[in-house]
Amino acid sequence: MLNLILFGPPGAGKGTQSAKLISKYHLAHISTGDMFRMHITNDTPLGKRVKQILADGLLVPDSITIEMLEEEVSNNAAAEGFIFDGFPRTVPQAEALDAFLASKSQQIDGVVQLDVDEDEIKQRIAERQKISGRADDDAEKLLKRIDEYFSKTVHVIPYYEKQGKVVKVNGVGNIEDIFNNICQAIDGFR
Ligand code: ADP
């Protein structure tokens, strides 16, 4: 079992790197952002509840997010481990994840923090919006998401630092180089 958290601001490259990591380490990828977008696309009851929250660039309430996440982990019981991407985003989410994994005699083995500065993030998301058309990538919503990141999500890092689990990786540069640096960090967790 290898359970990893890929951590970083919006546009840090978590999705790109996750795709490469799952094929190398045979892990299940859980992106709460992707899951919410899927619910919205399929117009499920959950999708209806969170649609406006995502459009506004705000965080979905912890209770909803945690319940969805736990269900997804349980549905992937055969997985050799997980990459959590975009979760946990708050300290209560991190506490809930620890408790949930402990109840299955598992744990988070390591947290990779992708380090990208704010100017670079804004530039990348402006580019991404042209391609993805994601409604929450527009300028005003982006500022909200960055705000949510720096007011709530950054506190998750000290939570895991206290457990000695965080490795910081430079998220600016060549995708392959970043990938190799992440792999090196992961090999140190095992
Ligand atoms: P990005 O990687 O660009 O930050 P995500 O795709 O991870 O964006 O998430 C998109 C949106 O989904 C967030 O802005 C938020 O509204 C919601 N969301 C995703 N994960 C969580 C979470 N763990 N807690 C609360 N809201 C979340």
Side-chain angles (χ1 to χ4, degrees):
M1 239 10 199
L2 179 67
N3 292 317
L4 305 171
I5 295 171
L6 198 52
F7 198 86
K14 300 186 293 289
T16 306
Q17 295 296 337
S18 292
K20 295 172 73 65
L21 290 168
I22 50 173
S23 67
K24 173 162 175 172
Y25 292 98
H26 309 291
L27 302 172
H29 177 216
I30 298 193
S31 157
T32 43
D34 284 350
M35 291 176 72
F36 286 131
R37 281 187 290 276
M38 191 93 81
H39 277 282
I40 292 169
T41 302
N42 295 335
D43 205 23
T44 66
L46 175 60
K48 289 190 212 304
R49 282 175 79 187
V50 303
K51 187 172 182 178
Q52 194 57 45
I53 302 174
L54 264 85
D56 290 339
L58 299 173
L59 291 185
V60 174
D62 286 337
S63 56
I64 298 178
T65 309
I66 290 164
E67 190 185 327
M68 180 182 75
L69 185 282
E70 291 184 354
E71 196 183 312
E72 183 72 2
V73 171
S74 300
N75 287 342
N76 282 279
E80 290 173 38
F82 293 93
I83 295 184
F84 297 102
D85 162 2
F87 184 95
R89 260 176 157 92
T90 64
V91 171
Q93 288 181 14
E95 289 167 346
L97 180 61
D98 272 354
F100 179 66
L101 291 176
S103 76
K104 295 176 178 290
S105 304
Q106 289 183 45
Q107 59 164 6
I108 290 297
D109 297 295
V111 179
V112 174
Q113 181 188 4
L114 268 180
D115 194 26
V116 181
D117 72 50
E118 211 169 314
D119 284 346
E120 170 83 16
I121 290 164
K122 288 180 180 166
Q123 218 170 0
R124 285 185 187 182
I125 298 200
E127 282 302 311
R128 184 169 81 182
Q129 217 238 337
K130 289 183 203 156
I131 304 161
S132 75
R134 257 177 65 171
D136 62 347
D137 277 349
D138 83 33
E140 186 197 336
K141 303 299 156 48
L142 168 61
L143 289 180
K144 256 273 150 276
R145 277 161 55 215
I146 292 177
D147 209 48
E148 290 284 73
Y149 180 81
F150 286 104
S151 64
K152 295 177 185 153
T153 305
V154 282
H155 302 299
V156 173
I157 284 295
Y159 175 88
Y160 287 109
E161 268 169 353
K162 278 187 211 129
Q163 301 182 13
K165 290 181 178 167
V166 181
V167 174
K168 200 168 173 169
V169 172
N170 181 6
V172 181
N174 176 290
I175 289 178
E176 282 307 319
D177 292 344
I178 297 169
F179 179 64
N180 289 331
N181 289 335
I182 293 175
C183 292
Q184 233 172 41
I186 291 174
D187 294 338
F189 296 145
R190 317 174 89 191

